[in-house]
């Protein structure tokens, strides 16, 4: 099967970006919205067609899913070390095409209503298309350098969209924060790429991830500081993934990124960009798994588990509904990472890998729905804060029902998509690491509680007297809500293990009813507690928060990690490290250059009088010189 046409999937949004960007003042806003949406619709159709052809017609040969690549030589260093550009079609790239194109198309449709009347309407759609092009290029990359190029383009797109409201200081600060934090992470990623290229002899994914190939085996004899070189390379690559996926301790940019328009939050910071780190680890999973010391994969598991718990605790205390969802995203991405970290490779032993990709797929649907639902609410009452909400079910029935479906799905309620994918993650954790399993169960209960804290606080709770009577969003906004609500249920019924697996061979995955019962029980407990606390107005939440005292305050202030980073940056890096370098630069480097320059000027001032242009001065100098020479000659002759 020739999949060369898939190059059109990223090129279509690129063409839309160029068309809208270069004709910013010529295209009417309504037209630009339709151009952006229709461009993504074509990319969506091509993505779905590719998925159908791959999974149901030509992708599987002798019960093994194949990898199809079409690539063109771009840069050549040696006969074996070169960089190609192209497209790679396999299980996870096709799955990600579905995720990116679906969520992006829904966000484009939604934005036509949400951004109506905005002065930068056309610019917004051009930025959305640029992001979609970058993300699709990342997904289809055939090698590490190609994925890094699009990785950085995704970062640029994120910067533009987070800072879209460029007249708002907090939005500008958030865009810079996201860009700077992820640049530090991406430095590690780049060094990891160079290490792999040097020792592995290739950047190509097919070569690097072949379990029977030489790229992995040749590294066994090379070590540094007690770890193999392959482990160091993979750890540095994971650093890049952790930055993009907002894993601890590189998570501080994600909550502030909510300063962008809400559709941006749904597209970038819920469903697509933040899962790029998970996709990167999954893409290189054979390397992580087959390295003998297992250190890199263990680190992935523990970072994911800790990030999941850490973010869930913070989400319990936040009052800005978008920030609650941001920390929820961080928590769920942690779930995906820990699933990869506890996964094996062959058959059912690779359940964690499959579960991670399954949860990535279902999470895209229900988290995208939650953010778009939040946008619908904010659009109606012009506030992000829970204390300004209550009783909205009477005014916004479609938003109410779809938000409830998403909340039930992320809480792992039986029958909804999140239940199936989360159950598989917990089963994989139980089979490989009981401590991580316990953390996963605790996070499941916390997730159910904070999500239904949102639900009851927004749609029930106090009967708020709004300044303007809220109303349901237009069809352009509610249609994506209804579609994603459907997907938040239906996606769970896909037999994912038949399509995505670590060793590319389908296997049967079944519900583990005892473990599922535990997870459901904990989730129901969280929902019941949220019902008691927030279904009706009361002072119980305030009493409980006071009872936790300083612990509650620490969680509310996000454990002061922003302050810690500012302290390290200002007091240590700027004052203790940068200031001495700045002094040395000003006084020694600049001083030396100034001394040379000033000496030259001073010397020239002194000698320029020699050429005065007056004959008498020259005659005097000539006679004086002749007299001096004569005296020297006489002195020498006498002696």
């Amino acid at each position: 099967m020739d999949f060369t046409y898939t190059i059109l999937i990223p090129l279509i949004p690129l063409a839309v970006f160029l068309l809208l960007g270069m004709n910013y003042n010529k295209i009417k806003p309504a037209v630009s919205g339709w151009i952006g949406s229709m461009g993504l619709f074509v990319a969506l159709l091509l993505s779905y067609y590719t998925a159908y052809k791959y999974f149901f017609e030509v992708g599987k040969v002798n019960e093994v899913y194949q990898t199809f690549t079409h690539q063109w030589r771009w840069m050549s260093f040696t006969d074996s070390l070169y960089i190609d550009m192209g497209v790679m079609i396999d299980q996870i790239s096709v799955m990600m095409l579905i995720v990116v194109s679906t969520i992006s198309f829904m966000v484009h449709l939604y934005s036509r209503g949400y951004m109506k009347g905005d002065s930068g309407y056309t610019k917004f759609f051009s930025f959305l298309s640029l992001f979609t092009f970058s993300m699709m290029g990342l997904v289809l990359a055939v090698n590490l350098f190609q994925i890094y190029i699009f990785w950085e383009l995704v970062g640029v797109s994120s910067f533009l969209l987070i800072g879209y409201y460029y007249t708002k200081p907090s939005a500008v600060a958030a865009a810079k924060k996201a860009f700077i934090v992820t640049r530090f992470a991406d430095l590690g990623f780049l060094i990891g790429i160079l290490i792999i290229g040097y020792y592995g002899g290739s950047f190509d994914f097919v070569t690097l991830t072949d379990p029977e190939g030489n790229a992995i085996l040749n590294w066994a004899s090379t070590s540094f500081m007690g770890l193999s070189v392959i482990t160091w390379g993979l750890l540095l690559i994971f650093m890049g993934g952790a930055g993009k996926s907002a894993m601890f301790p590189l998570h501080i940019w994600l909550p502030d990124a909510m300063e962008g328009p809400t559709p941006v939050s749904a597209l970038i910071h819920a469903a697509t960009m933040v899962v790029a780190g998970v996709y990167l680890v999954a893409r290189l999973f054979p390397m992580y798994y087959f390295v003998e010391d297992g250190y890199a994969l263990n680190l992935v598991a523990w970072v994911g588990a800790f990030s999941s718990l850490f973010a869930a605790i913070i989400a319990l205390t936040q009052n800005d509904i978008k920030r609650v969802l941001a920390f929820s995203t961080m928590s769920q991405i942690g779930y995906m990472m820990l699933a990869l970290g506890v996964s094996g490779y062959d058959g059912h032993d690779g359940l964690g890998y499959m579960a991670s990709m399954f949860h990535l797929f279902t999470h895209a649907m229900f988290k995208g729905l939650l953010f778009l639902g939040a946008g619908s609410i904010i659009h109606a009452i012009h506030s992000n804060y829970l204390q300004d909400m209550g009783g909205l079910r009477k005014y916004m029935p479609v938003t109410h029902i779809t938000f409830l479906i998403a909340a039930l799905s992320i809480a792992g309620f039986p029958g909804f998509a999140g239940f199936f994918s989360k159950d598989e993650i917990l089963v994989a954790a139980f089979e490989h690491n009981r401590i991580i399993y316990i953390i996963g169960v605790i996070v499941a209960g916390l997730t159910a509680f904070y999500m239904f804290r949102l639900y009851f606080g927004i749609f029930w709770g106090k009967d708020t007297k709004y300044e303007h009577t809220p109303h349901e969003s237009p069809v352009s906004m509610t249609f994506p809500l209804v579609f994603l609500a459907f997907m938040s249920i239906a996606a769970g019924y896909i037999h994912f293990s038949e399509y995505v697996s670590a060793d590319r061979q389908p296997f049967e995955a079944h519900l583990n009813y005892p473990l599922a019962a535990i997870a459901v029980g904990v989730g129901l407990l969280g929902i019941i507690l949220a019902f008691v606390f927030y279904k009706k107005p009361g002072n119980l939440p305030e009493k409980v928060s006071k009872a936790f005292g300083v612990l509650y305050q620490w969680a509310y202030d996000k454990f002061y990690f922003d302050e810690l980073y500012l302290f390290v940056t200002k007091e240590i890096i700027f004052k203790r490290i940068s200031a001495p370098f700045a002094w040395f630069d000003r006084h020694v480097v600049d001083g030396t250059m100034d001394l040379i320059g000033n000496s030259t000027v001073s010397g020239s001032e002194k000698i320029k009088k020699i050429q005065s242009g007056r004959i008498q001065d020259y005659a005097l100098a000539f006679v004086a010189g002749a007299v001096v020479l004569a005296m020297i000659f006489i002195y020498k002759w006498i002696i």
Side-chain angles (χ1 to χ4, degrees):
M1 175 66 188
D2 186 2
F3 286 101
T4 310
Y5 71 89
T6 52
I7 191 65
L8 294 174
I9 297 175
L11 290 182
I12 290 171
L14 174 62
V16 172
F17 162 68
L18 294 174
L19 176 63
L20 298 181
M22 292 190 295
N23 298 279
Y24 173 74
N25 294 318
K26 299 178 182 178
I27 301 176
K28 294 180 179 180
V31 176
S32 64
W34 277 111
I35 291 174
S37 300
M38 290 302 99
L40 259 296
F41 182 65
V42 176
L44 175 79
L45 292 179
L46 287 174
S47 298
Y48 277 58
Y49 172 73
T50 301
Y52 174 78
K53 297 293 286 185
Y54 182 80
F55 286 119
F56 298 105
E57 291 191 359
V58 301
K60 190 164 54 175
V61 177
N62 297 325
E63 294 302 311
V64 177
Y65 280 103
Q66 305 299 302
T67 298
F68 300 90
T69 60
H70 297 278
Q71 51 202 60
W72 305 269
R73 186 65 45 84
W74 182 44
M75 297 175 66
S76 182
F77 303 103
T78 67
D79 291 339
S80 60
L81 187 60
Y82 48 82
I83 301 174
D84 289 343
M85 298 291 280
V87 293
M88 181 175 180
I89 301 299
D90 68 349
Q91 295 168 297
I92 58 174
S93 65
V94 173
M95 181 270 295
M96 285 295 293
L97 281 179
I98 295 297
V99 169
V100 175
S101 60
T102 300
I103 300 300
S104 184
F105 179 59
M106 290 298 117
V107 167
H108 274 74
L109 289 181
Y110 181 92
S111 298
R112 291 179 52 253
Y114 188 88
M115 300 299 292
K116 187 176 182 180
D118 188 272
S119 58
Y121 190 89
T122 301
K123 177 180 70 176
F124 179 78
F125 276 92
S126 69
F127 288 171
L128 283 185
S129 296
L130 175 63
F131 169 79
T132 307
F133 157 69
S134 305
M135 192 67 202
M136 286 178 168
L138 185 156
V139 165
L140 292 170
V142 296
N143 56 58
L144 279 167
F145 257 105
Q146 184 181 345
I147 204 172
Y148 186 78
I149 291 168
F150 285 99
W151 192 273
E152 296 305 311
L153 278 174
V154 165
V156 172
S157 308
S158 175
F159 173 80
L160 294 172
L161 287 166
I162 295 169
Y164 175 76
Y165 296 122
Y166 59 88
T167 58
K168 189 178 177 184
S170 58
V172 174
K176 291 191 293 185
K177 186 178 183 179
F179 194 79
I180 292 169
V181 171
T182 52
R183 293 293 70 70
F184 278 102
D186 292 350
L187 174 62
F189 186 12
L190 179 59
I191 296 171
I193 290 173
L194 296 176
I195 290 173
I196 287 177
Y198 182 78
Y199 286 98
S202 176
F203 298 118
D204 190 78
F205 286 134
V206 174
T207 302
L208 291 173
T209 58
D210 182 3
E212 299 179 358
N214 294 324
I216 294 176
L217 300 177
N218 285 348
W219 293 13
S221 60
T222 309
S223 63
F224 176 71
M225 293 179 64
L227 296 176
S228 64
V229 173
I230 186 173
T231 298
W232 282 110
L234 294 174
L235 289 176
L236 288 165
I237 286 177
F238 176 63
M239 178 181 172
K244 196 72 79 183
S245 289
M247 293 288 93
F248 179 89
L250 299 169
H251 64 282
I252 60 169
W253 66 269
L254 186 63
D256 290 10
M258 298 301 109
E259 291 290 343
T262 304
V264 171
S265 303
L267 177 63
I268 295 180
H269 308 117
T272 55
M273 190 190 86
V274 289
V275 300
V278 179
Y279 177 77
L280 180 63
V281 175
R283 170 59 69 206
L284 295 173
F285 182 76
M287 298 181 74
Y288 280 91
Y289 180 76
F290 284 107
V291 61
E292 291 183 0
D293 54 28
Y295 187 82
L297 203 58
N298 282 332
L299 185 69
V300 170
W302 283 106
V303 168
F306 182 82
S307 299
S308 186
L309 179 61
F310 179 81
I313 292 171
I314 296 176
L316 297 172
T317 64
Q318 302 301 300
N319 294 318
D320 182 329
I321 61 173
K322 287 177 68 176
R323 276 177 166 74
V324 173
L325 295 178
F327 281 107
S328 173
T329 297
M330 177 182 168
S331 183
Q332 297 302 304
I333 299 295
Y335 247 86
M336 300 172 204
M337 285 292 192
L338 77 85
L340 287 172
V342 299
S343 180
Y345 186 76
D346 298 313
H348 187 273
D349 194 47
L351 180 64
Y353 179 94
M354 184 280 293
S356 177
M357 297 297 98
F358 192 13
H359 198 58
L360 187 158
F361 188 84
T362 60
H363 174 265
M365 305 305 163
F366 59 68
K367 185 55 67 64
L369 173 56
L370 286 169
F371 267 106
L372 294 184
S376 180
I377 295 159
I378 294 166
H379 186 265
I381 67 170
H382 307 290
S383 174
N384 290 27
Y385 294 95
L386 273 173
Q387 55 265 34
D388 298 328
M389 302 174 186
L392 282 175
R393 70 188 185 283
K394 297 179 291 186
Y395 308 104
M396 309 179 72
V398 176
T399 302
H400 168 227
I401 295 301
T402 54
F403 196 95
L404 175 60
I405 290 171
L408 288 168
S409 189
I410 193 174
F413 195 83
F416 293 81
F419 163 76
F420 296 100
S421 57
K422 189 176 291 187
D423 177 73
E424 301 290 8
I425 290 176
L426 293 176
V427 171
F430 181 83
E431 292 177 352
H432 289 82
N433 191 311
R434 298 296 170 84
I435 297 176
I436 289 179
Y437 165 74
I438 293 171
I439 293 173
V441 171
I442 294 171
V443 170
L446 296 178
T447 302
F449 178 78
Y450 67 66
M451 282 311 310
F452 276 86
R453 170 178 175 256
L454 274 191
Y455 168 72
F456 289 123
I458 295 169
F459 297 103
W460 297 82
K462 61 182 180 181
D463 192 6
T464 305
K465 303 298 180 184
Y466 296 100
E467 184 177 347
H468 302 288
T469 303
H471 57 83
E472 187 58 88
S473 298
V475 175
S476 60
M477 294 171 65
T478 55
F479 173 77
L481 297 181
V482 173
F483 177 82
L484 291 176
F486 168 75
M487 290 299 295
S488 296
I489 300 172
Y493 294 91
I494 299 172
H495 296 291
F496 219 75
S497 61
E498 294 182 9
Y499 305 107
V500 176
S501 60
D503 61 357
R504 297 181 296 166
Q505 300 183 46
F507 68 94
E508 277 292 327
H510 302 283
L511 279 175
N512 186 312
Y513 289 101
L515 295 182
I518 294 172
V520 170
V522 172
L524 286 175
L525 178 61
I527 294 173
I528 292 168
L529 287 175
F531 177 87
V532 172
F533 275 66
Y534 300 105
K535 172 64 166 58
K536 294 180 179 180
N539 58 0
L540 183 59
E542 185 178 353
K543 287 181 179 179
V544 173
S545 62
K546 286 182 178 178
F548 279 95
V550 68
L551 293 177
Y552 176 87
Q553 191 61 43
W554 274 51
Y556 180 78
D557 290 323
K558 296 168 284 189
F559 293 97
Y560 301 101
F561 267 87
D562 286 281
E563 290 78 4
L564 176 62
Y565 272 88
L566 284 174
F567 173 79
V568 171
T569 302
K570 291 182 176 181
E571 298 299 324
I572 298 178
I573 297 177
F574 288 175
K575 289 186 179 181
R576 304 289 185 270
I577 299 175
S578 299
F581 278 106
W583 183 92
F584 181 84
D585 182 64
R586 286 194 303 270
H587 293 86
V588 178
V589 178
D590 289 352
T592 302
M593 295 300 102
D594 290 343
L595 177 62
I596 294 172
N598 292 335
S599 300
T600 303
V601 172
S602 177
S604 67
E605 288 288 339
K606 288 180 172 57
I607 66 174
K608 70 180 181 181
K609 294 179 181 179
I610 295 174
Q611 293 182 330
S612 63
R614 294 186 297 179
I615 295 176
Q616 55 268 36
D617 291 342
Y618 299 154
L620 176 63
F622 177 79
V623 172
V627 170
V628 170
L629 289 173
M631 292 177 67
I632 294 172
F633 176 76
I634 293 170
Y635 175 77
K636 290 288 187 180
W637 182 72
I638 294 173
I639 292 177

